[in-house]
Amino acid sequence: MRRFKRSQGSSSCKPLKLERFYKSDRWHEARRLVILRDKGMCQMCGNVGTQVHHKIHLNIRNVDDPAIATNPDNLVLLCDHCHNEVHHRVGRNVCYKFDSEGNVIKK
């Protein structure tokens, strides 16, 4: 049985394992390094980046795999708008994915 926790201010539930990861020192350090590498800029549109996005989406099966969870090659800085686009939360007719070099491309 999976344990889920409701995030404050959110109606969505996230598995506790992921909640713990996103509060961990290893995530905060990986996030900090990606923000520095990407110079604080969204890698899709050039605006101020606010979200460090996993190219291979993080889930409870791969959260303990450093090649996915904290590997800078699997992380990219995006602004809120572009992050929502990548997750198909806006522009339902537009779809994005990443090429073999980690560049964002339309699907």
Side-chain angles (χ1 to χ4, degrees):
M1 179 176 179
R2 290 186 198 160
R3 298 184 131 205
F4 293 89
K5 175 184 179 184
R6 183 167 299 213
S7 299
Q8 286 186 334
S10 173
S11 60
S12 66
C13 291
K14 187 179 284 192
L16 284 175
K17 191 170 187 177
L18 293 180
E19 283 283 333
R20 287 185 191 116
F21 169 75
Y22 283 117
K23 293 178 180 178
S24 72
D25 290 340
R26 66 186 176 126
W27 170 246
H28 288 280
E29 179 62 11
R31 185 179 189 282
R32 185 184 72 78
L33 292 174
V34 169
I35 292 169
L36 287 173
R37 179 198 67 198
D38 293 346
K39 298 179 174 66
M41 297 180 68
C42 175
Q43 298 303 292
M44 280 181 66
C45 71
N47 285 330
V48 174
T50 55
Q51 303 288 326
V52 175
H53 172 73
H54 287 88
K55 297 174 188 177
I56 298 172
H57 292 263
L58 201 63
N59 59 54
I60 60 172
R61 292 182 304 283
N62 64 21
V63 69
D64 294 321
D65 182 352
I68 294 173
T70 56
N71 181 350
D73 293 335
N74 188 44
L75 300 171
V76 63
L77 185 62
L78 301 174
C79 67
D80 287 339
H81 178 78
C82 290
H83 191 239
N84 285 333
E85 282 189 354
V86 168
H87 283 285
H88 314 293
R89 296 177 190 139
V90 294
R92 298 284 183 203
N93 297 333
V94 179
C95 192
Y96 295 89
K97 66 180 191 175
F98 296 91
D99 67 17
S100 61
E101 295 177 10
N103 299 308
V104 180
I105 56 175
K106 284 187 180 179
K107 208 158 93 170

